[in-house]
Each structure stands twice: as structure tokens, then as C-alpha cells.
Amino acid sequence: MIFYSNSPEMQFPIKVLTLLSVFVLLLSSCTFVYGQKAEELLQSGHDAFELKDYKVAIEKYQEALEQKADYVDAYRGLWKSKMELGKKVSALYTIRRALAIDSTLADAYLDRSILLTNRSKNFDLVFQQLDSALLLKPDYAEAFFQKGMVYLAMGDAVSACPNWQKAADLNYEKATFFLGLYCDKKKK
């Protein structure tokens, strides 16, 4: 096939092919920049979160989600920033949206359990969330610790102790404190 010709009947197809090639090239480069921008916004959100500037972090995570609507890492940063600002209902909504995209987010179930423990006394629902987290990640020390904290909130330190022990066995330091405070006395 001839791609360059001086003949008038070939000029039109060559121009069309050239324009199509340029269009495809522009479209593919826009897609690359589009995805890259979401990554940069995510990093800006993480940077703001580390500086405890949660409002800016929320803005950056939301901008990343505008670029890439199914960006689970941006949802994670968004719900954690909302939790830090005490926006519990909004954080729960964000977790729900993230889990609709990826139902294997063990940390989403854990954080939802924490929010639900503080928001209501529906401990069955809280335990369902923690069990989901532990089903996905059986060595999730923080989930075992939180399970112990829920039992403690219910006034059942005896049931809390084995969960704190599992968390301590997984090197979760906070659990050791609560074991000493509530559980070691029972053994003596």
C-alpha cells in the first residue's frame, strides 16, 4: 500500500489516515495522563493525610475519584480522612461505596465495625463486620483487638481476653496492655 502519493485521488485517504492516526495517538496519551493524574492526586491526598490536613486530603481523594471512579485506594484514604474528622456517617457511606467495588477490603470491614460500635449498640452487626474482616485476613491482629474492645463495651471482659490474646500473639502491642489490665488479674 502506498502511504504517500501526489495523485489527487490518493490525497484524501492519506489525509484521513493521518488524521485518524493523530486522533488515536492523542486519545491514548490522554488516557495515560488521565490515569497518571489520579495517581498524583492520590499521593497528594496521602501527603496531606500524613500532615494531618484531613480537609485537604479529602479534597485530593475526591479529585482522584473524579478522575477514576473505581479507585479503591482513593476511597480508602477518603473514609479514613472522614473518620479522623469525626464524619462518621459520611465515612460509612464511603466504605459502602468502596466495598461495592471490592468486597475483599478487610480494613473496610474493620473500620466499619469501629464506626458502628461508636454509633450504635448493634453489636451483632459489629461482630459481622469483624468476622468478615477476619475471614478475609485470618491474621488481622487489629480485628482481633477490636473484637475484644467490642466485648469490653458490652461489659464482657472474659470474652474479650481470648481476642486480645490472639492480637498479642500477632504482635499487636495495644492488646498486651489490655491483657494486663483485664485478663492477667483473672488468672492470679
Side-chain angles (χ1 to χ4, degrees):
M1 177 177 223
I2 299 173
F3 288 101
Y4 179 76
S5 172
N6 285 332
S7 70
E9 60 274 352
M10 288 300 293
Q11 288 297 312
F12 180 74
I14 291 172
K15 287 181 182 179
V16 170
L17 283 172
T18 304
L19 285 174
L20 281 172
S21 298
V22 169
F23 178 73
V24 168
L25 183 62
L26 284 173
L27 185 62
S28 64
S29 67
C30 286
T31 303
F32 175 73
V33 169
Y34 175 81
Q36 185 180 21
K37 184 164 174 128
E39 292 286 332
E40 290 170 1
L41 290 165
L42 178 72
Q43 187 56 53
S44 295
H46 290 340
D47 294 344
F49 188 92
E50 288 297 317
L51 295 171
K52 300 185 187 308
D53 193 349
Y54 303 117
K55 289 181 181 180
V56 170
I58 287 171
E59 289 173 16
K60 296 301 177 184
Y61 293 132
Q62 287 173 330
E63 288 176 29
L65 288 166
E66 288 171 12
Q67 294 288 323
K68 190 175 172 185
D70 62 348
Y71 204 0
V72 173
D73 290 335
Y75 277 112
R76 179 180 287 113
L78 185 58
W79 90 61
K80 290 188 179 290
S81 297
K82 289 176 178 181
M83 287 176 72
E84 290 294 334
L85 290 177
K87 297 181 177 189
K88 297 173 185 174
V89 174
S90 185
L92 283 167
Y93 176 73
T94 304
I95 291 170
R96 184 175 54 145
R97 289 176 59 193
L99 286 170
I101 296 166
D102 183 355
S103 63
T104 65
L105 302 172
D107 61 328
Y109 292 106
L110 173 68
D111 286 344
R112 188 155 60 178
S113 77
I114 292 167
L115 290 165
L116 291 171
T117 300
N118 295 333
R119 187 170 160 72
S120 73
K121 297 298 179 201
N122 185 347
F123 294 116
D124 288 338
L125 182 58
V126 172
F127 282 122
Q128 286 174 2
Q129 301 306 305
L130 290 166
D131 290 342
S132 293
L134 289 166
L135 185 64
L136 292 166
K137 189 175 173 184
D139 62 344
Y140 202 176
E142 193 174 355
F144 283 114
F145 175 76
Q146 182 61 21
K147 206 167 186 180
M149 296 305 289
V150 174
Y151 278 118
L152 184 63
M154 295 170 57
D156 186 0
V158 172
S159 295
C161 292
N163 289 285
W164 289 331
Q165 185 61 58
K166 287 179 187 174
D169 291 346
L170 293 166
N171 300 317
Y172 195 73
E173 290 184 31
K174 288 182 187 176
T176 305
F177 172 78
F178 282 90
L179 278 170
L181 193 61
Y182 290 97
C183 305
D184 290 342
K185 294 177 185 175
K186 309 233 181 308
K187 293 178 184 175
K188 295 177 184 176

